[in-house]
C-alpha cells in the first residue's frame, strides 16, 4: 500500500486537483449547482478562503488558503465530495469493492495537493487554473468558461478580461500527467 504523505502547514495556501473516477464524465458541470452548494455548506462549517477555482466536466483545480492554525484540507475535501455525492442521483456504475465499502462510484479516492511555496508559485498556479479550460479544449478563451473564479478576479482587477494566458511559459504545475 502506498504511503501518502501530505504537506501540512497550518494557515497554508494549497493547490488541489480533484478528479472524478470516470474521466470522460460531464458530471461536475451537469450538477454545478449541487457542487456549489456542497462547497458553500462545508465552508460554513469549516471555513477556508477560495483564492481560485475552476470546474471542468471531469475534474477541478483550486487554490485554498486555510485559517491560521488549521491544516485540515483533507477533511474539507472529504466533506465536499460526500455532500456532492449525496445531492445527485445514483446513476453511476459501482464496483463490488465500492459497494462493499458503501462508496459511490463518483470520485477518485485521492486528490493531488501542492503547497504553494512563494509568490511566483502562487501566480503560476493561479494562471494554470484559469487557463485550464482552454488547455483542455473546453473554451476558446479564458473568459468564455463560466465555471471559473477568473470572472470574480476580473471584477477585482487582478486579471484583465481579455487575458488569454498565451504569453505563459510551459508551466510545470498541477498534477503530473501519466
Amino acid at each position: 500500500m502506498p504511503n501518502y504523505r501530505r504537506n501540512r502547514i497550518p494557515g497554508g495556501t494549497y493547490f488541489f486537483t480533484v478528479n472524478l473516477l470516470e474521466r470522460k464524465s460531464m458530471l461536475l458541470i451537469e450538477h454545478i449547482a449541487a457542487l456549489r452548494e456542497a462547497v458553500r455548506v462545508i465552508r460554513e462549517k469549516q471555513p477556508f478562503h477560495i483564492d481560485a477555482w475552476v470546474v471542468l466536466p471531469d475534474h477541478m483545480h483550486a487554490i485554498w488558503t486555510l485559517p491560521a492554525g488549521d491544516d485540515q484540507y483533507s477533511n474539507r475535501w472529504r466533506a465536499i465530495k460526500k455532500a456532492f455525492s449525496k445531492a445527485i442521483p445514483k446513476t453511476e456504475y459501482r464496483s463490488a469493492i465500492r459497494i462493499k465499502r458503501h462508496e459511490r462510484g463518483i470520485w477518485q479516492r485521492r486528490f493531488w495537493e501542492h503547497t504553494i511555496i512563494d509568490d511566483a508559485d502562487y501566480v503560476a498556479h493561479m494562471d494554470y487554473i484559469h487557463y485550464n479550460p482552454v488547455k483542455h479544449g473546453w473554451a476558446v478563451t479564458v473568459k468564455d468558461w463560466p465555471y471559473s473564479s477568473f470572472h470574480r478576479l476580473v471584477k477585482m482587477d487582478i486579471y484583465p478580461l481579455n487575458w488569454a494566458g498565451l504569453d505563459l511559459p510551459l508551466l510545470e504545475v498541477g498534477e503530473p500527467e501519466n
Side-chain angles (χ1 to χ4, degrees):
M1 181 88 177
N3 183 11
Y4 292 98
R5 293 178 186 232
R6 300 261 186 218
N7 193 24
R8 298 192 179 281
I9 299 174
T13 300
Y14 303 91
F15 167 86
F16 302 99
T17 299
V18 180
N19 295 312
L20 292 179
L21 185 61
E22 176 56 52
R23 288 303 304 261
K24 297 202 185 304
S25 174
M26 301 289 281
L27 197 65
L28 292 176
I29 60 172
E30 287 172 352
H31 297 283
I32 192 71
L35 178 61
R36 287 177 174 150
E37 180 63 8
V39 171
R40 187 193 67 74
V41 167
I42 301 315
R43 282 183 72 200
E44 281 182 5
K45 296 176 184 175
Q46 301 175 65
F48 59 93
H49 180 263
I50 298 171
D51 296 70
W53 202 310
V54 67
V55 178
L56 291 112
D58 62 351
H59 72 285
M60 55 188 162
H61 300 289
I63 297 176
W64 295 354
T65 300
L66 298 183
D70 188 341
D71 67 359
Q72 298 300 308
Y73 53 79
S74 292
N75 294 343
R76 288 169 172 86
W77 276 119
R78 186 178 310 107
I80 289 168
K81 288 176 169 184
K82 184 176 180 180
F84 177 78
S85 297
K86 285 184 171 186
I88 64 171
K90 294 180 181 179
T91 59
E92 73 280 358
Y93 166 79
R94 292 171 59 206
S95 66
I97 192 78
R98 285 190 183 263
I99 292 168
K100 181 179 177 183
R101 292 180 178 177
H102 304 286
E103 293 177 351
R104 299 277 307 262
I106 297 174
W107 299 101
Q108 288 185 5
R109 288 193 180 103
R110 308 229 184 265
F111 57 87
W112 173 260
E113 164 269 324
H114 165 78
T115 304
I116 301 296
I117 58 171
D118 59 25
D119 289 345
D121 192 34
Y122 183 84
V123 169
H125 282 84
M126 290 286 284
D127 290 351
Y128 177 85
I129 284 174
H130 295 113
Y131 191 71
N132 213 254
V134 176
K135 172 188 168 189
H136 288 287
W138 293 109
V140 174
T141 66
V142 175
K143 69 182 178 184
D144 294 337
W145 190 249
Y147 313 112
S148 172
S149 58
F150 177 76
H151 307 286
R152 174 176 54 94
L153 296 170
V154 166
K155 289 178 186 172
M156 296 169 61
D157 290 326
I158 294 171
Y159 282 100
L161 180 61
N162 290 321
W163 181 82
L166 298 177
D167 57 345
L168 292 176
L170 186 58
L171 297 175
E172 295 295 328
V173 301
E175 182 178 14
E177 294 185 23
N178 297 334

